[in-house]
Amino acid sequence: MEGKAKKNKLLSLWGKQEVGIFVIFIVLCVFIGCITPRFVKPQNIINILRQISNVGIMAVGQAMVIIIAGIDLSVGSMLSLSACILAVLSESMNPWIAMIISLLAGAGVGAINGLLTVKIGIAPFIATLGIQMMAKGFSFIITNGIPVKFSYPDSVGFLGGGTFQIGEVSVPMSIIIMLVVYAVGIVVMSKTVFGRELYATGDNERSAKLSGINASRIKISAYVISGLLAALAGILNAGNLTTATADAGDGIESNVIAAVVIGGVSMSGGEGSVVGILIGAAIMGVIKNAFILLNFKANWQTITIGFLIILATGIDCVTKQIKAAKASVKVSKELK
């Protein structure tokens, strides 16, 4: 009896979407490792994780927004804006205080996105696109379109470009911060009331409201978290480069959305996991790194990631159609 229970538990685990994504990730890594042995070297693995850290951090917030059936196109501009705010304020105040203000600015922009979509009723795509353009404009105003250089090795520089020694391997702080964000994200999404209400709101907002869930608060909170994490990514990016530019985050929102979709989050809302998002970001990092090692042109990276987005979304749509068809047949049989 105990053996059967363990078998059922194993089958249940295998049925989870993130396990399938993880299998794809492992197969991809093995395949690339066979083609180019340099891929599996510890330093290269560290480089991949460092390269995906900013996208990975923002993907957690973006996933929350997509789970409630929304989208946040402003994360790239928010990365730039927070970095510019940090760089300019650090010239006249303590950089730690400047970082807090940058984070609050990100959360504030996220709150505006939430209010525009939830309270006013503007479509998320349009609302966040408008905010994206406004945030980018403010970034240029703050910096006058000129890169702002700064160096604070004991604060911003350490968080963005510092390392933490683990044995003989130097692990960048950005990786550690990313893993902390994911650890918190896993707990929040799977163990808290907020996480359960987030999924319930995305799955069926009307039913969620009838169950006593404050759907408006949940949706606005998701946008606030997305803005906050985008600002955090901006701080890490600025700390790593010791320079803030108004166009630092241009186009990064497409990579963030790609990581979320490839990681198994449904664009129709209500489905997805933080573990899947991390694997999705890792798959993107592995593909980009492999193309560099194999000397492929950068254009092929874009084409491949675009294909993966369409493939992941297509699989999600087909799966939902099959489930809907099965449910319809079951209801028809019950009526007979």
Side-chain angles (χ1 to χ4, degrees):
M1 196 72 178
E2 185 179 347
K4 187 177 180 180
K6 287 183 179 179
K7 184 179 179 181
N8 289 336
K9 187 176 181 180
L10 182 61
L11 290 173
S12 175
L13 178 64
W14 186 259
K16 288 185 177 180
Q17 192 173 21
E18 57 265 30
V19 177
I21 300 168
F22 183 69
V23 171
I24 294 172
F25 171 68
I26 293 298
V27 171
L28 183 64
C29 289
V30 171
F31 176 72
I32 297 171
C34 292
I35 296 176
T36 170
R38 287 182 297 168
F39 174 78
V40 296
K41 290 185 177 180
Q43 191 56 51
N44 189 57
I45 301 299
I46 293 295
N47 286 335
I48 293 173
L49 291 173
R50 179 181 55 80
Q51 289 164 4
I52 69 168
S53 58
N54 286 338
V55 169
I57 288 170
M58 290 191 288
V60 175
Q62 185 73 250
M64 292 184 181
V65 172
I66 292 178
I67 285 172
I68 60 165
I71 195 165
D72 188 355
L73 299 179
S74 67
V75 290
S77 293
M78 192 57 244
L79 180 150
S80 302
L81 180 59
S82 65
C84 293
I85 291 173
L86 171 63
V88 172
L89 291 181
S90 294
E91 295 177 350
S92 58
M93 66 172 62
N94 187 293
W96 288 105
I97 297 176
M99 277 191 277
I100 293 173
I101 294 173
S102 296
L103 291 173
L104 291 175
V109 171
I112 293 171
N113 281 330
L115 291 171
L116 289 174
T117 57
V118 177
K119 297 299 183 181
I120 299 179
I122 301 175
F125 182 90
I126 301 299
T128 59
L129 179 62
I131 293 297
Q132 175 198 60
M133 298 173 71
M134 292 175 66
K136 186 173 182 178
F138 278 120
S139 297
F140 276 99
I141 290 173
I142 291 172
T143 61
N144 292 317
I146 302 171
V148 180
K149 294 185 178 181
F150 65 101
S151 178
Y152 296 95
D154 295 329
S155 53
V156 186
F158 175 69
L159 294 178
T163 59
F164 188 80
Q165 199 69 25
I166 300 179
E168 297 181 357
V169 180
S170 295
V171 181
M173 279 300 299
S174 58
I175 296 177
I176 295 173
I177 293 172
M178 178 185 70
L179 295 178
V180 170
V181 168
Y182 273 90
V184 173
I186 289 171
V187 173
V188 169
M189 296 292 281
S190 61
K191 303 295 183 181
T192 67
V193 173
F194 173 78
R196 291 192 292 272
E197 291 182 345
L198 190 79
Y199 283 109
T201 300
D203 185 52
N204 191 318
E205 185 175 344
R206 186 180 179 186
S207 296
K209 288 180 178 178
L210 292 174
S211 301
I213 295 174
N214 188 337
S216 295
R217 178 181 60 82
I218 294 296
K219 294 172 78 171
I220 293 173
S221 297
Y223 281 102
V224 170
I225 293 171
S226 180
L228 181 68
L229 292 180
L232 174 60
I235 291 171
L236 298 181
N237 184 70
N240 182 44
L241 301 177
T242 65
T243 303
T245 60
D247 59 355
D250 282 8
I252 199 171
E253 63 275 354
S254 60
N255 289 330
V256 174
I257 294 171
V260 173
V261 173
I262 293 170
V265 177
S266 174
M267 290 299 292
S268 58
E271 294 180 15
S273 72
V274 176
V275 174
I277 302 159
L278 178 59
I279 300 171
I283 288 175
M284 287 181 55
V286 165
I287 291 173
K288 289 184 176 183
N289 182 260
F291 278 33
I292 292 171
L293 293 177
L294 297 172
N295 294 318
F296 284 9
K297 291 183 178 180
N299 292 336
W300 284 106
Q301 297 179 23
T302 307
I303 292 171
T304 302
I305 291 171
F307 171 75
L308 288 175
I309 293 173
I310 294 172
L311 179 64
T313 306
I315 291 173
D316 179 57
C317 290
V318 171
T319 301
K320 286 185 180 299
Q321 290 172 4
I322 293 172
K323 287 181 178 179
K326 288 182 178 180
S328 179
V329 170
K330 185 178 180 180
V331 171
S332 298
K333 288 181 178 179
E334 290 176 352
L335 292 175
K336 290 179 181 179

